[in-house]
Amino acid sequence: MRAAQTPCAGSRGDRSLQKGGFAAELDTVKARLARGTPIEVWFQDEARVGQKNKITRRWAKRGTRPSAPHDQRTKSAYIFGAICPQEGKAAGLVLPFCNTDTMNLHLAEISLHVAPGAHAVVLMDQAGWHLTPKLELPANISIIAIPSKCPELNPQENIWQFMRDNWLSNRVFSSYDDIVDHCCDAWNKLVDQPWKIMSIGLRNWAQEF
């Protein structure tokens, strides 16, 4: 888990759901593909995990006030994650920062998980490294941008919440390598639960095509 090529076509607005909705954007992608090409809908995002960690709710005996560790150090890593809820698949990398180079690595990783002969439509927010023309977009991937300030349209956000609540919060990481190890372990646990990816990630509006 620790780990060709044409730039993204069109302008940022051309790939935004704000123009006609998901169905219209999907039709634009299909028009460029061979008739009958299977389509996989993926959702992508990044999550920062660091020593200054989150504190989440925990089960405890009524009347008690359980303590939770909270570190003030600042080493961190990023999980680049993508899910295909319809198939229960996920593709992830743990990387030191977010930029065009690391985004290219993640696109290449997603490409490896797309079924042979299929084409992946990857929905993601409008971060600069997501939509730059410097991206090396694999031939079996197209990007559709999610409108600004609409995280509710991206179920990968709910995946992050699930991972933090169950595996990544309420702990102290001793080093950067320890952060990476925990992130990899958490992501691999998710990959081993395709039914959980489906349960959290399926959206009717993204599957009716």
Side-chain angles (χ1 to χ4, degrees), residues 103-123:
M103 186 64 199
N104 280 332
L105 291 174
H106 193 214
L107 287 172
E109 181 69 16
I110 296 170
S111 177
L112 295 175
H113 289 76
V114 179
H119 190 85
V121 172
V122 183
L123 284 80

Side-chain angles (χ1 to χ4, degrees), residues 144-161:
I144 294 179
I146 293 173
S148 300
K149 301 179 181 178
C150 296
E152 69 277 7
L153 294 178
N154 192 346
Q156 184 62 45
E157 298 278 3
N158 304 107
I159 292 290
W160 297 142
Q161 182 179 359

Side-chain angles (χ1 to χ4, degrees), residues 15 33 69 113 134 159 172 186 199 209:
R15 296 192 304 279
L33 303 174
H113 289 76
K134 296 180 181 179
I159 292 290
V172 171
S199 174
F209 58 86

Side-chain angles (χ1 to χ4, degrees), residues 12 145 188:
R12 171 180 294 188
N188 289 331

Side-chain angles (χ1 to χ4, degrees), residues 22-164:
F22 177 68
E25 292 300 317
L26 192 60
D27 286 343
T28 300
V29 173
K30 287 181 175 179
R32 301 196 299 265
L33 303 174
R35 185 183 299 273
T37 300
I39 300 291
E40 295 183 0
V41 179
W42 289 71
F43 297 90
Q44 191 276 345
D45 195 36
E46 301 87 27
R48 178 184 172 276
V49 179
Q51 288 176 317
K52 189 173 286 189
N53 204 354
K54 304 287 185 181
I55 295 176
T56 60
R57 295 179 181 272
R58 311 299 287 179
W59 287 101
K61 186 176 180 181
R62 184 183 296 275
T64 65
R65 293 177 63 88
S67 62
H70 189 66
D71 201 339
Q72 296 300 313
R73 293 173 295 174
T74 57
K75 290 186 182 297
S76 62
Y78 290 87
I79 307 176
F80 280 66
I83 58 169
C84 177
Q86 191 173 28
E87 302 294 332
K89 299 190 295 188
L93 293 173
V94 180
L95 298 165
F97 36 72
C98 293
N99 62 18
T100 302
D101 290 337
T102 52
M103 186 64 199
N104 280 332
L105 291 174
H106 193 214
L107 287 172
E109 181 69 16
I110 296 170
S111 177
L112 295 175
H113 289 76
V114 179
H119 190 85
V121 172
V122 183
L123 284 80
M124 59 182 72
D125 64 35
Q126 299 186 33
W129 57 88
H130 289 169
L131 301 180
T132 171
K134 296 180 181 179
L135 283 182
E136 298 171 352
L137 197 61
N140 62 345
I141 288 178
S142 294
I143 292 173
I144 294 179
I146 293 173
S148 300
K149 301 179 181 178
C150 296
E152 69 277 7
L153 294 178
N154 192 346
Q156 184 62 45
E157 298 278 3
N158 304 107
I159 292 290
W160 297 142
Q161 182 179 359
F162 171 77
M163 291 175 65
R164 292 187 192 280

